[in-house]
Every structure is written in structure tokens, then in C-alpha cells.
Amino acid sequence: MRMKSDFVLTGAKPFNETIEGKVFDQCKIFLELTLSDGNGKCTVEYVWGDHTNYKHFENLALPVDVLVDFELVTTGKRQKTIIHDVQVKKPVKA
């Protein structure tokens, strides 16, 4: 199921290294989510493509509002969230 939703991006970090012969190339983003019981919020880590996606955030003052295009998929036993795109929302002028 593919959808778009508004989130607060609290952080992002690139990672592009080779460890024990295996290449790891990703951009991790951290999105703020509401706890299921409604008592507060927490930050959840997601992977969005490779390290080059970090350029969208490297000069921003975080946290920032974003629109995330994502997809929920399942194996039948486990659910996975695939991030397709993250767009920084333009600040509203006063």
C-alpha cells in the first residue's frame, strides 16, 4: 500500500562504507511518530535510498516538516516500510 503523509524529520545521516567486504550505502532518516497510546512521541529510524539523499537535509535546521511518500509491504509475517521520497515543506510566511 503506497501513500503520502506529513511527518516531522528530526534527523538524517549518510552512511557509505565497506565493512568486511560488504558495501553499505544508505541515508537514514529519523521521523517523529505518535505513540499508540497517545502519551507522547518517539523518533523512528528509516532507510531512504543511498547516501546521496542526505544532500536534501545537510543545510537545514532540524527538526523540519516533510511530506513522505512511502509504501507498506509484507512477507505475510513481517511488515516493512519503504521510503520512496521525502520532500521538505516550504515554511509558511507570517
Side-chain angles (χ1 to χ4, degrees):
M1 172 185 321
R2 192 162 173 170
M3 61 196 89
K4 292 182 181 182
S5 189
D6 296 323
F7 291 93
V8 174
L9 178 80
T10 60
K13 64 181 180 178
F15 189 78
N16 186 18
E17 298 289 334
T18 301
I19 300 172
E20 295 182 4
K22 185 173 180 180
V23 177
F24 294 90
D25 185 6
Q26 60 192 9
C27 177
K28 289 188 177 182
I29 61 172
F30 300 87
L31 301 175
E32 185 179 88
L33 300 176
T34 302
L35 294 172
S36 61
D37 63 4
N39 282 334
K41 298 180 185 270
C42 68
T43 298
V44 178
E45 176 184 302
Y46 297 95
V47 173
W48 176 38
D50 63 27
H51 76 280
T52 61
N53 283 332
Y54 179 73
K55 70 181 181 286
H56 297 282
F57 316 115
E58 64 186 344
N59 295 318
L60 293 177
L62 300 176
V64 66
D65 292 331
V66 293
L67 178 65
V68 180
D69 177 7
F70 64 100
E71 185 173 9
L72 299 176
V73 295
T74 183
T75 63
K77 291 185 178 183
R78 297 182 189 263
Q79 180 176 301
K80 181 178 179 179
T81 302
I82 300 170
I83 306 293
H84 292 288
D85 192 29
V86 179
Q87 297 177 353
V88 176
K89 298 174 92 176
K90 302 260 187 223
V92 177
K93 293 184 179 180

